[in-house]
Amino acid sequence: MGCYDAMFHQKIKDYIKEHREDYIAFLQKLVQQPSTVGNELGAQQLLAERLKSQGCEVDIWEPDYSRLSQHPYFNSTRADFTGSPNVVSVIKGTGGGKSIILNGHVDVVPEGDRNTWTVEPYSGEIKDGKLYGRGSTDMKGGNLAILIAFEALCNLGIPLKGDVIFQSVIEEESGGSGTLACIERGYRADVALIPEPSEMRIFPKQQGSVWFRVTVDGQSAHGGTRYEGVSAIEKGWIVFNEIMKLEKRRNDRITDPMYADNPIPIPINIGRFDSGYFPSAVPDRAIIEGRYGIAPGETIDAAKQEFMQCMATLDQIDSWFTEHPVQVEWPGLRLPPGGIDLEHPFLGVLTQNFKNVTKEDPKMEGSTWGTDGGLLTTVADIPSVIFGPGTTHMAHFTDEYVELDNIFECAEIIALSVIEWCGVRI
Amino acid sequence: MGCYDAMFHQKIKDYIKEHREDYIAFLQKLVQQPSTVGNELGAQQLLAERLKSQGCEVDIWEPDYSRLSQHPYFNSTRADFTGSPNVVSVIKGTGGGKSIILNGHVDVVPEGDRNTWTVEPYSGEIKDGKLYGRGSTDMKGGNLAILIAFEALCNLGIPLKGDVIFQSVIEEESGGSGTLACIERGYRADVALIPEPSEMRIFPKQQGSVWFRVTVDGQSAHGGTRYEGVSAIEKGWIVFNEIMKLEKRRNDRITDPMYADNPIPIPINIGRFDSGYFPSAVPDRAIIEGRYGIAPGETIDAAKQEFMQCMATLDQIDSWFTEHPVQVEWPGLRLPPGGIDLEHPFLGVLTQNFKNVTKEDPKMEGSTWGTDGGLLTTVADIPSVIFGPGTTHMAHFTDEYVELDNIFECAEIIALSVIEWCGVRI
């Protein structure tokens, strides 16, 4: 560590220490904004106002639905983005350095049944060093980590050579239109870091996922003469099993060491099996819906093709499917896989700074879920890495929380990594 | 055939021939009344007015919900019976003869999607000797057959010794409260005939049925780490299979010759399998609903006991069920089995008159569905037989129809059987 590095490190440490209570209070305010899909405005205004008050230029805009919806990677359940702006702020570099995007989503999934929460879902209540609330871990705690790093670099006046782009985006949980809109607006960088809740692990590989729906036909009959019908439940179970065999074949191919400890690196999860409505009738239709994991490096189209091929050969298992082929649709979520090459220099920078701050080696894994990194990598060719403070298993769950110490440690590592990556004009 | 018998037969034949067009027109009016559950009033008023106009005394009453709902065999989806009367009329015998109930239900199942019908569902349209419409076969055509027999006996002044009780009841399709109310009102006879759509076959045995619901627990997890959860679909499939094995065990025991040609005499039909709602979550619950056939001679309680026992031993198949036993409920339909002894004299009377009229032997079978005969047999100890004109496979289906010739042939056989059964005071 050179003397400049040591000086910057101390400055960052001091900045974080000095502003800790202020940032915790801000995170509480951010969590208190219930920024579910369509309700992101309050949280985005908080962020934009804060950045402006520190002298940062802020780009705040509502994505143009009619234009964005033409994009081949567009995927949304909405009909427009009115009242749901993105917020982007840039520290312009002096030139000659590498640039970085720090990207986090402000949207949160719904809180579900409030009665199952032991804290108010949008309270931001703090107990034992943990801040509770929907979105605290996924991913407002992560957003705070990149905000701290960004503001520290801005306020400390460290003359970076490369650009630092802070992005608070909408819609990650619903298909990624916020990040897609940032790409369409022209924001580019040499690398992207997304502080999704990896629990301080580094995820150089992020799997993608698409949702599928398979419709299986049976043949109705009265329950008292059920042998005159064909149960869509029984035919649906054949389809279920073939999908599970496909999952095995696909996962047997995964040799990526990032997934070495993962029993099923790219799972196919069947999340819905719905057949029949009347106890005394043979059900004539089954709907099977699920989430289809896409391997890092695989294209969505190739993965879909393999699935379709599997469904097209069901008649080899049961001749029923010759006359009654299943229908396959791809409604809902579609997240391409993302990632960064294991030899990419930013990964070295991040790893080294992790060691410097924590005195430990980081855990490196492949993510089990999709992120906006998939769009950055696939659409904009920006290598993307996940590294965030949130508690992985609390994402989308009741009593979601984030550990405050992790946020500040993460912010410190990110700030130092950005300084090293972007370079400083001495 | 004695000379009195021949005389009565000719009288009946002539009566039916003479009134054929009148009865067809009346059946059209009856089918044009969309007497789904809660909407039976119009059809019942038509019947009551007709019977009154012929000098018959008519008992028309709305079942007393608060009283009836206390009955152990009460089973209904309703909260009261306002506007849904039963209609009963009695030809009082001179004494010393056997009595008979002629029972038919006036309620019809909903027509479903009208777009799948090629005729108007409540038109009563006639084409090629068939009268079309919801309820034509199940069972207004049958009701017309017993009405013709009843009115013929009434109008021809044949002095019967035993009582003939005509019953047009509500609620058969929804649990049998109409017939239960007739029993509670005190109507009794030595035998009952129900002209459900048996397609001119005689059903001395009628299976019962109950509906069940099994709730199977899984354990939720994110789809990307599905191996951390337990799929309720997979556990539900184990339950599905055990229920199917139970069906096999139960049917292997059935040696009744009435079911000799039936591949599954008392089927268990699983009509609904519903698990999960979100493609990217492991489903933590599956609902399995079905229809559980009850053998003639078996009690509902004994059959339920066998089902519960099967569900209680699931842990022998999969230890998951030790900590997560399934829940079993019995919501909805509950029809006890019914029947008449194969040696019962009325069966001989019916069979002989069938031969006299058609010059053929009747087909004798066990029914594949429950009827109100189950309540008459189980609750009131009245042997019950099914014999009706309707087209079996059209019941509850689109483009439901009844063959008009069958109705009149059936009416003739029933009228002659009643005369012989009740006896005539000469």
Side-chain angles (χ1 to χ4, degrees):
Chain A
M1 195 184 284
C3 71
Y4 281 112
D5 294 341
M7 185 184 76
F8 294 142
H9 196 167
Q10 195 54 50
K11 277 190 173 187
I12 296 289
K13 259 195 185 318
D14 292 346
Y15 176 89
I16 290 174
K17 194 171 179 185
E18 191 180 333
H19 295 85
R20 184 178 168 108
E21 293 313 311
D22 168 42
Y23 279 119
I24 292 174
F26 183 72
L27 181 58
Q28 282 186 305
K29 279 190 199 162
L30 210 54
V31 169
Q32 283 158 8
Q33 293 291 334
S35 53
T36 51
V37 62
N39 303 302
E40 309 89 342
L41 187 58
Q44 293 291 63
Q45 279 176 333
L46 268 183
L47 276 159
E49 291 312 314
R50 181 179 174 100
L51 285 161
K52 280 182 198 166
S53 74
Q54 313 225 358
C56 302
E57 270 189 38
V58 175
D59 183 12
I60 177 163
W61 81 100
E62 292 167 356
D64 177 351
Y65 188 90
S66 61
R67 197 176 145 219
L68 203 63
S69 61
Q70 304 304 312
H71 196 284
Y73 278 90
F74 177 79
N75 181 228
S76 176
T77 53
R78 300 167 69 156
D80 71 88
F81 295 115
T82 307
S84 298
N86 276 332
V87 171
V88 173
S89 184
V90 181
I91 302 175
K92 197 74 197 148
T94 57
K98 301 272 191 191
S99 57
I100 187 166
I101 286 170
L102 305 174
N103 171 298
H105 66 84
V106 78
D107 56 309
V108 302
V109 297
E111 69 273 22
D113 181 359
R114 283 188 175 230
N115 294 324
T116 62
W117 287 70
T118 64
V119 295
E120 276 298 307
Y122 296 106
S123 63
E125 188 180 332
I126 297 171
K127 281 189 296 192
D128 302 328
K130 295 168 181 166
L131 189 147
Y132 286 81
R134 170 56 77 231
S136 57
T137 221
D138 185 10
M139 63 175 287
K140 289 174 177 174
N143 291 348
L144 187 71
I146 57 174
L147 183 76
I148 295 169
F150 187 80
E151 289 185 348
L153 296 170
C154 193
N155 286 315
L156 296 174
I158 300 173
L160 298 175
K161 291 186 193 164
D163 297 349
V164 185
I165 304 168
F166 172 89
Q167 298 181 335
S168 175
V169 300
I170 62 168
E171 286 272 304
E172 191 274 344
E173 299 287 1
S174 317
S177 297
T179 289
L180 191 63
C182 290
I183 295 169
E184 283 295 279
R185 205 166 174 89
Y187 288 107
R188 292 288 187 287
D190 295 307
V191 78
L193 181 144
I194 304 179
E196 286 269 13
S198 71
E199 220 164 323
M200 306 301 284
R201 290 168 294 179
I202 294 170
F203 292 167
K205 300 290 175 73
Q206 306 114 42
Q207 74 179 268
S209 62
V210 286
W211 287 0
F212 62 84
R213 178 189 295 142
V214 182
T215 303
V216 185
D217 285 340
Q219 191 171 295
S220 191
H222 189 288
T225 50
R226 72 167 190 82
Y227 40 84
E228 292 173 355
V230 175
S231 168
I233 299 172
E234 293 181 31
K235 296 305 176 195
W237 182 249
I238 294 171
V239 176
F240 184 104
N241 275 324
E242 290 308 303
I243 294 174
M244 290 296 96
K245 285 186 208 161
L246 173 65
E247 183 197 55
K248 180 157 185 349
R249 288 198 299 276
R250 285 173 54 77
N251 281 277
D252 283 350
R253 293 199 302 256
I254 305 281
T255 53
D256 191 325
M258 288 297 108
Y259 287 99
D261 293 336
N262 188 317
I264 310 174
I266 45 166
I268 307 182
N269 179 71
I270 296 183
R272 184 176 169 228
F273 187 114
D274 189 0
S275 182
Y277 53 91
F278 190 66
S280 195
V282 175
D284 63 356
R285 179 153 290 190
I287 305 290
I288 299 174
E289 288 183 350
R291 176 254 188 220
Y292 185 48
I294 313 289
E298 181 178 41
T299 68
I300 289 180
D301 280 346
K304 280 185 179 178
Q305 198 55 43
E306 190 175 7
F307 190 91
M308 300 295 279
Q309 180 61 25
C310 174
M311 293 296 99
T313 51
L314 285 165
D315 58 346
Q316 295 172 14
I317 311 292
D318 183 331
S319 62
W320 170 258
F321 296 106
T322 311
E323 294 293 317
H324 306 86
V326 301
Q327 292 170 54
V328 181
E329 296 163 281
W330 304 95
L333 211 64
R334 186 181 53 203
L335 294 175
I340 189 168
D341 196 281
L342 294 181
E343 307 302 318
H344 193 284
F346 181 72
L347 210 52
V349 168
L350 184 62
T351 304
Q352 190 54 50
N353 281 291
F354 184 97
K355 288 183 191 174
N356 291 347
V357 171
T358 68
K359 315 300 175 202
E360 288 175 14
D361 284 333
K363 286 185 189 156
M364 309 275 278
E365 291 180 23
S367 85
T368 55
W369 18 262
T371 72
D372 275 350
L375 288 168
L376 291 167
T377 303
T378 306
V379 179
D381 205 21
I382 302 173
S384 302
V385 61
I386 307 298
F387 170 61
T391 311
T392 310
H393 68 278
M394 294 311 294
H396 300 205
F397 275 73
T398 52
D399 289 349
E400 178 179 345
Y401 66 84
V402 63
E403 299 203 38
L404 292 171
D405 284 349
N406 280 356
I407 297 175
F408 294 101
E409 196 167 59
C410 192
E412 188 179 335
I413 295 164
I414 292 170
L416 295 176
S417 298
V418 170
I419 292 170
E420 189 175 339
W421 175 252
C422 296
V424 180
R425 199 181 60 156
I426 310 289
Chain B
M1 197 185 286
C3 70
Y4 281 112
D5 294 340
M7 184 183 78
F8 294 143
H9 197 165
Q10 195 54 50
K11 277 190 172 188
I12 296 290
K13 261 196 179 319
D14 292 346
Y15 176 89
I16 289 175
K17 192 170 180 186
E18 191 180 333
H19 295 87
R20 185 178 167 107
E21 293 312 312
D22 168 39
Y23 279 120
I24 291 173
F26 183 71
L27 180 57
Q28 281 187 306
K29 279 189 198 164
L30 210 53
V31 169
Q32 283 158 8
Q33 293 290 334
S35 53
T36 50
V37 62
N39 302 303
E40 309 89 343
L41 187 58
Q44 293 291 62
Q45 279 175 334
L46 268 183
L47 277 160
E49 291 312 315
R50 179 177 177 101
L51 285 162
K52 279 182 197 166
S53 74
Q54 314 225 356
C56 302
E57 270 189 35
V58 174
D59 182 10
I60 177 163
W61 82 100
E62 291 166 358
D64 176 349
Y65 189 90
S66 61
R67 199 177 143 219
L68 203 63
S69 60
Q70 304 305 311
H71 195 284
Y73 278 91
F74 177 79
N75 180 229
S76 175
T77 53
R78 300 169 67 155
D80 71 88
F81 295 115
T82 306
S84 298
N86 276 331
V87 171
V88 173
S89 184
V90 180
I91 303 175
K92 197 73 197 148
T94 58
K98 301 274 193 190
S99 57
I100 187 167
I101 285 170
L102 304 173
N103 171 298
H105 66 84
V106 78
D107 57 307
V108 301
V109 297
E111 68 274 21
D113 182 359
R114 283 187 175 230
N115 294 325
T116 62
W117 287 70
T118 64
V119 295
E120 275 297 306
Y122 296 107
S123 62
E125 189 180 332
I126 297 170
K127 281 189 295 192
D128 301 328
K130 293 169 182 166
L131 190 146
Y132 287 80
R134 170 56 79 230
S136 57
T137 221
D138 185 10
M139 61 175 286
K140 288 174 176 174
N143 292 348
L144 187 71
I146 57 174
L147 183 75
I148 295 169
F150 187 82
E151 290 185 348
L153 297 170
C154 192
N155 286 317
L156 296 174
I158 301 171
L160 298 175
K161 290 184 192 166
D163 297 350
V164 184
I165 304 168
F166 172 89
Q167 298 181 336
S168 174
V169 299
I170 62 167
E171 285 272 302
E172 191 274 342
E173 299 287 1
S174 317
S177 297
T179 290
L180 191 63
C182 290
I183 296 169
E184 282 296 281
R185 204 166 174 90
Y187 288 108
R188 291 289 187 285
D190 294 307
V191 78
L193 181 145
I194 303 179
E196 286 269 14
S198 72
E199 220 163 325
M200 306 301 284
R201 291 168 295 180
I202 294 171
F203 292 167
K205 300 288 176 73
Q206 306 113 40
Q207 73 180 268
S209 61
V210 285
W211 287 0
F212 62 83
R213 178 188 298 142
V214 182
T215 303
V216 185
D217 285 340
Q219 193 171 294
S220 190
H222 189 286
T225 49
R226 72 167 191 83
Y227 40 84
E228 292 173 356
V230 175
S231 168
I233 300 172
E234 293 181 30
K235 296 306 176 193
W237 182 249
I238 294 171
V239 176
F240 184 104
N241 275 323
E242 290 307 304
I243 294 174
M244 290 297 96
K245 285 186 208 161
L246 174 65
E247 183 197 54
K248 179 156 188 348
R249 288 198 300 276
R250 285 171 55 76
N251 281 277
D252 284 349
R253 294 199 301 256
I254 306 281
T255 54
D256 191 326
M258 288 297 109
Y259 287 100
D261 293 336
N262 189 315
I264 310 174
I266 46 166
I268 307 182
N269 179 71
I270 296 183
R272 184 176 169 227
F273 188 113
D274 189 359
S275 182
Y277 53 91
F278 190 65
S280 195
V282 175
D284 64 355
R285 178 153 289 190
I287 305 289
I288 299 174
E289 288 183 350
R291 176 257 188 218
Y292 185 49
I294 313 288
E298 182 179 40
T299 68
I300 289 180
D301 280 346
K304 280 186 179 177
Q305 198 57 42
E306 191 175 5
F307 189 92
M308 301 294 279
Q309 181 60 25
C310 173
M311 293 296 99
T313 51
L314 285 165
D315 58 346
Q316 294 172 16
I317 311 294
D318 184 331
S319 62
W320 170 259
F321 296 106
T322 312
E323 293 293 316
H324 306 86
V326 301
Q327 292 171 56
V328 181
E329 296 163 281
W330 304 93
L333 211 64
R334 185 182 53 204
L335 295 175
I340 189 169
D341 195 280
L342 294 180
E343 307 302 315
H344 193 283
F346 180 72
L347 209 53
V349 168
L350 183 62
T351 304
Q352 190 53 52
N353 282 291
F354 184 98
K355 287 183 191 172
N356 290 348
V357 171
T358 66
K359 315 300 175 202
E360 288 175 13
D361 284 333
K363 287 185 190 156
M364 310 275 277
E365 291 180 22
S367 86
T368 55
W369 18 262
T371 72
D372 275 350
L375 288 167
L376 291 167
T377 304
T378 305
V379 179
D381 206 21
I382 303 172
S384 302
V385 61
I386 307 298
F387 170 60
T391 311
T392 311
H393 69 277
M394 294 310 293
H396 299 205
F397 274 73
T398 52
D399 288 349
E400 179 179 345
Y401 68 82
V402 64
E403 299 203 36
L404 293 171
D405 283 349
N406 279 356
I407 296 174
F408 294 101
E409 196 166 59
C410 192
E412 188 179 336
I413 295 164
I414 292 170
L416 297 175
S417 300
V418 170
I419 292 170
E420 190 177 337
W421 175 251
C422 296
V424 181
R425 200 181 59 160
I426 313 287

